[in-house]
Amino acid sequence: MATTSQKQLLAPRLLLPPLLLLLTLLLSTHHQPAAASDPLVNHGAMRPTSGSSLLQQQQPPPRLDCPKVCLGRCANNWKNEMCNDKCNVCCQRCNCVPPGTGQDTRHICPCYDTMTNPHNGKLKCP
């Protein structure tokens, strides 16, 4: 059986390896250089990340098929050709077109809803 003085000498030796391991892990995760954390360093090569949220944020949303969406939006408009022209311009800029054919859904696409004609200040998008 170990004496009290032997136990006191063994206690710090048992704690030292886990503390060093913890310290090493903390330093390696928190002290990365700024350039290494940039995913576009190394001539555009992407580093794999633990989560895909970084990659999802960098990808633009898929583009709408504006002519098809605007045909549906302007289907009931009495000035169909002019409605399609304006709708396609708004769709290209905003990448959003409200569903349906009425004015009650405009608020779903804020960019589309608030775009105005610079010459007369009226709403541009049908």
Side-chain angles (χ1 to χ4, degrees), residues 23-71:
L23 183 61
T24 305
L25 286 173
L26 287 174
L27 289 175
S28 67
T29 58
H30 290 298
H31 292 289
Q32 292 180 350
S37 65
D38 186 3
L40 299 179
V41 172
N42 296 334
H43 306 287
M46 295 294 289
R47 287 186 303 128
T49 59
S50 60
S52 62
S53 63
L54 178 64
L55 294 176
Q56 289 173 351
Q57 290 173 358
Q58 292 176 350
Q59 294 176 349
R63 298 297 302 175
L64 288 179
D65 182 7
C66 291
K68 183 178 177 182
V69 176
C70 287
L71 275 175

Side-chain angles (χ1 to χ4, degrees), residues 70-120:
C70 287
L71 275 175
R73 176 84 179 156
C74 296
N76 296 339
N77 194 297
W78 66 284
K79 291 186 178 181
N80 197 307
E81 190 174 325
M82 184 171 52
C83 178
N84 275 316
D85 289 343
K86 289 181 177 184
C87 179
N88 276 292
V89 168
C90 296
C91 179
Q92 291 295 326
R93 289 187 189 168
C94 299
N95 195 34
C96 181
V97 173
T101 58
Q103 298 297 310
D104 56 335
T105 57
R106 289 179 65 91
H107 68 280
I108 295 173
C109 299
C111 170
Y112 186 98
D113 188 30
T114 58
M115 192 181 302
T116 57
N117 183 325
H119 301 293
N120 61 16

